[in-house]
């Protein structure tokens, strides 16, 4: 049976991170599956390049774009939704999957396109000045300037799943955080405004609706592996070089 590995937030715009990905064994994971839960790079050519490198090392790759992957840094794209849909088509050509698919007869991996919503924050959370400098507000555009509906626009693109046999384990993946209780209370956060730009409860509703047993995600760079009300939630972010995680020596986490 294939092993399933997880990584997110590989931020290959940083040369040191790109090198970590390039240095992964070319032989060890040939029979395995890798879930990449968003934030590969800003430039579309680099996203494709990095995922092609990974595709050569693994039997199968699943990907959901993160906010950094949807920055408009090239005029090629009118808005971030267009870039997400372009990525889905281009990645299909190199056999990287952004849609639900089975692994053997055991698992169904379900990538969930999504975005964050302000309403995700607790009533106790208070935004601070740092929110004004959040780069997504400048670097992402949405059709009709509908930034408040970005989550709905992206989630409308998700394919519904019907009629899976009971023995199949559903593993869902999003870049953004599905539940506020997967983040520490605001006083322990380095970026105090994070709860306002980190997740959406719509992801949680969706994964429960389709019977997920395990949900993987990224974005907060706060790694976690815990089970809440019968669903296992896992984050394994590589993060920025300055975050200097011990896991940089062993960047992949095996989840199954
Ligand atoms: Fe992110």
């Amino acid at each position: 049976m294939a092993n399933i590995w997880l990584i997110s937030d590989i931020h290959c715009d940083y040369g040191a991170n790109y090198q970590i990905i390039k240095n992964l064994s070319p032989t060890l994971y040939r029979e395995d599956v890798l879930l990449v839960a968003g934030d590969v790079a800003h430039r579309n050519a680099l996203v494709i390049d990095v995922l092609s490198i990974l595709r050569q090392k693994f039997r199968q790759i699943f990907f959901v774009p993160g906010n950094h992957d949807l920055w408009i840094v090239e005029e090629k794209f009118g808005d971030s939704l267009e870039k997400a849909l372009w990525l889905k088509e281009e990645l299909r050509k190199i056999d990287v999957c952004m849609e639900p698919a089975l692994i053997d007869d055991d698992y169904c991996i379900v990538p969930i396109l999504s975005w964050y919503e302000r309403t995700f924050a607790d009533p106790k959370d208070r935004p601070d000045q740092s929110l004004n400098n959040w780069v997504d507000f400048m670097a992402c555009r949405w059709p009709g300037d509908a930034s408040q509906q970005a989550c709905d626009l992206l989630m409308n693109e998700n394919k519904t799943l019907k009629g899976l046999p009971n023995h199949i384990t559903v593993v869902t993946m999003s870049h953004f955080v599905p539940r506020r209780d997967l983040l520490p209370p605001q006083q322990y956060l380095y970026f105090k405004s994070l709860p306002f730009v980190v997740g959406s409860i719509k992801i949680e509703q969706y994964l429960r609706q389709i019977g997920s047993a395990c949900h993987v995600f990224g974005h907060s760079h706060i790694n976690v592996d815990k089970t809440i009300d019968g669903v296992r939630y896992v984050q394994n972010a590589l993060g920025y070089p300055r975050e200097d995680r011990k896991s940089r020596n062993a960047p992949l986490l095996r989840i199954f």
Side-chain angles (χ1 to χ4, degrees):
M1 194 188 292
N3 293 314
I4 303 179
W5 300 86
L6 170 66
I7 196 166
S8 70
D9 303 276
I10 56 183
H11 294 289
C12 286
D13 310 277
Y14 293 92
N17 283 18
Y18 185 78
Q19 216 46 54
I20 287 173
I21 298 302
K22 267 201 118 167
N23 290 347
L24 289 172
S25 167
T27 53
L28 208 55
Y29 308 106
R30 280 270 164 85
E31 303 301 317
D32 293 351
V33 174
L34 178 66
L35 312 184
V36 182
D39 278 2
V40 168
H42 304 148
R43 283 178 294 116
N44 58 320
L46 188 53
V47 175
I48 305 285
D49 173 36
V50 170
L51 291 170
S52 318
I53 291 169
L54 287 169
R55 179 66 191 85
Q56 285 158 27
K57 297 174 188 285
F58 287 81
R59 172 183 140 190
Q60 210 169 351
I61 303 279
F62 289 84
F63 169 69
V64 278
N67 48 323
H68 287 251
D69 305 308
L70 298 187
W71 283 8
I72 305 293
V73 290
E74 295 121 333
E75 283 312 311
K76 181 181 174 71
F77 305 104
D79 57 59
S80 298
L81 176 64
E82 189 184 324
K83 188 173 179 186
L85 299 179
W86 181 87
L87 278 172
K88 192 191 282 193
E89 287 312 309
E90 288 304 301
L91 291 173
R92 197 198 308 267
K93 293 177 193 166
I94 59 164
D95 195 28
V96 168
C97 210
M98 278 179 60
E99 289 186 339
L102 290 174
I103 299 174
D104 303 327
D105 198 27
D106 302 307
Y107 298 96
C108 183
I109 309 296
V110 184
I112 302 173
L113 272 175
S114 65
W115 202 252
Y116 47 77
E117 298 186 294
R118 266 188 94 96
T119 48
F120 180 82
D122 265 350
K124 281 181 290 187
D125 294 326
R126 293 276 173 269
D128 69 359
Q129 280 298 97
S130 61
L131 193 57
N132 298 331
N133 302 323
W134 184 244
V135 180
D136 291 356
F137 297 156
M138 275 78 77
C140 295
R141 288 197 292 265
W142 301 101
D145 199 24
S147 56
Q148 295 308 309
Q149 284 92 47
C151 187
D152 291 333
L153 284 172
L154 288 161
M155 289 195 75
N156 282 342
E157 298 295 330
N158 292 318
K159 291 261 190 314
T160 49
L161 268 185
K162 282 187 194 124
L164 277 182
N166 282 341
H167 69 274
I168 301 277
T169 301
V170 175
V171 179
T172 44
M173 55 188 291
S174 62
H175 178 63
F176 300 100
V177 180
R179 300 173 59 108
R180 176 63 184 84
D181 56 5
L182 291 165
L183 286 183
Q186 190 178 32
Q187 69 262 34
Y188 300 112
L189 294 172
Y190 173 73
F191 173 41
K192 299 292 179 210
S193 292
L194 185 67
F196 296 89
V197 287
V198 78
S200 168
I201 191 67
K202 288 172 185 162
I203 304 166
E204 171 73 0
Q205 289 163 349
Y206 190 79
L207 70 92
R208 295 273 165 182
Q209 192 190 322
I210 64 174
S212 179
C214 176
H215 183 76
V216 303
F217 63 101
H219 189 57
S220 59
H221 297 200
I222 300 170
N223 289 346
V224 66
D225 187 347
K226 73 173 176 185
T227 299
I228 305 170
D229 297 336
V231 174
R232 179 183 175 201
Y233 296 87
V234 193
Q235 176 168 189
N236 180 46
L238 179 63
Y240 300 122
R242 65 172 179 271
E243 291 173 322
D244 198 26
R245 291 158 197 277
K246 288 195 188 81
S247 62
R248 292 177 75 81
N249 298 322
L252 305 181
L253 178 71
R254 188 166 72 81
I255 55 167
F256 288 104

